[in-house]
Amino acid sequence: MKMSKIVELLNAKVLCGEELLENEVHSACGSDMMSDVLAYVKDQAVLLTGLVNLQVVRTAAMMDMLCIVFVRGKIPSDDIIEFARDNGMVVLASEERMYPACGKLYANGLVGGALHA
Amino acid sequence: MSVPLKFHYDVHGEDFTSAGNASVQAKKALRQLGYDPNIIRRVSIAMYEGEINMVIHADGGSADIIVYPDYIEIVLADKGPGIPDVSKAMQEGFSTAPDNIRSLGFGAGMGLPNMKKHTDDMKIDTVIGEGTTITMRVNT
């Protein structure tokens, strides 16, 4: 799925990485617990979260993720967006809650990907 | 014999928002050295988990990445309270992190087991009241 499709499906605002939206991503995960993202996620390119702090973007960077979607209308602060931009990530913000946001992406073919080895 | 390349980072303990800075820097350095992305990711995750732990439990410490010809060593040293029961701390889900840390998305009790999972070798030296040194190795 192109990241521009995520923007469309979730009616999301693009906070940074506009120029990367035509790149493809193949799997996603949703969590507010960064400990679990670090422990259970493998090769998922998109992180949906309702947690807003710098650790979210650092965690995503450590995991080589390409896109963060802040759900529930959360808007990250400028330092979060700046970090994401420096690390070549797309940041989106959607009014959707976590469950429908994940469901819409999944139903349109963005799967959960492999379990952690 | 050539001297191994070493990267040293101070991990500041006073502010949780800065936790992970050293790992971000280390990841950039390893990328510049041209390592395989999977190797870099394993080192990054192990170091980041350890760095978060040092900030939560030990008021910071130091992190060193030492690059040998066939492996990368990560040494995380702190002067924190030490780990009273290492085998318990290695259990998935066991955590002594305070509630405010959980509200920031950490403290699920996955850190140490996850560090072990992403490295080829992990050694924990801990002395109560003096500190903890964790030495991890990722084969390249």
Side-chain angles (χ1 to χ4, degrees):
Chain A
M1 179 184 289
K2 284 185 177 173
M3 286 187 266
S4 54
K5 182 79 178 170
I6 299 176
V7 175
E8 181 194 320
L9 288 169
L10 302 184
N11 192 20
K13 260 190 224 149
V14 183
L15 302 179
C16 78
E18 186 102 37
E19 70 285 4
L20 303 168
L21 290 179
E22 292 311 299
N23 291 347
E24 292 274 345
V25 288
H26 300 285
S27 62
C29 66
S31 181
D32 288 353
M33 196 67 186
M34 294 304 111
S35 287
D36 285 345
V37 173
L38 285 162
Y40 294 110
V41 170
K42 185 180 163 70
D43 290 334
Q44 274 82 336
V46 181
L47 169 65
L48 292 94
T49 188
L51 183 73
V52 183
N53 61 43
L54 259 172
Q55 302 306 335
V56 173
V57 269
R58 285 208 193 96
T59 300
M62 291 301 115
M63 309 294 289
D64 299 318
M65 289 173 152
L66 305 174
C67 176
I68 301 170
V69 183
F70 290 100
V71 295
R72 302 196 288 270
K74 305 283 176 80
I75 299 289
S77 55
D78 289 346
D79 52 350
I80 295 175
I81 296 170
E82 199 176 315
F83 180 95
R85 190 181 285 123
D86 287 350
N87 284 273
M89 285 186 275
V90 172
V91 177
L92 308 177
S94 170
E95 293 294 328
E96 296 275 9
R97 294 185 182 180
M98 179 72 96
Y99 185 73
C102 293
K104 284 180 182 177
L105 298 184
Y106 196 97
N108 281 275
L110 191 62
V111 295
L115 288 174
H116 208 300
Chain B
M1 210 177 101
S2 63
V3 180
L5 193 55
K6 187 171 169 174
F7 301 94
H8 175 81
Y9 306 93
D10 292 318
V11 176
H12 301 289
E14 66 275 11
D15 181 10
F16 188 76
T17 58
S18 70
N21 263 339
S23 302
V24 171
Q25 299 305 320
K27 182 163 191 158
K28 278 185 187 151
L30 291 175
R31 208 178 269 153
Q32 278 166 2
L33 292 176
Y35 278 105
D36 176 86
N38 284 321
I39 298 283
I40 297 176
R41 192 193 310 189
R42 288 172 63 205
V43 172
S44 302
I45 292 171
M47 180 174 168
Y48 183 60
E49 292 271 25
E51 197 184 339
I52 297 275
N53 276 349
M54 284 200 287
V55 174
I56 296 174
H57 299 288
D59 199 25
S62 67
D64 289 279
I65 299 278
I66 308 143
V67 178
Y68 292 96
D70 51 359
Y71 64 93
I72 297 169
E73 192 170 74
I74 310 152
V75 182
L76 306 172
D78 69 58
K79 293 186 166 47
I83 303 169
D85 186 339
V86 172
S87 64
K88 212 169 180 180
M90 286 302 299
Q91 287 170 16
E92 291 189 0
F94 178 80
S95 174
T96 58
D99 284 347
N100 67 319
I101 294 300
R102 285 170 218 252
S103 69
L104 294 166
F106 290 88
M110 297 304 295
L112 284 171
N114 204 30
M115 288 156 73
K116 189 173 172 64
K117 187 155 70 182
H118 282 93
T119 53
D120 292 298
D121 188 59
M122 179 165 110
K123 192 162 69 88
I124 301 176
D125 295 304
T126 187
V127 179
I128 298 302
E130 290 185 19
T132 300
T133 298
I134 297 184
T135 308
M136 294 174 283
R137 179 187 284 210
V138 173
N139 295 333
T140 55

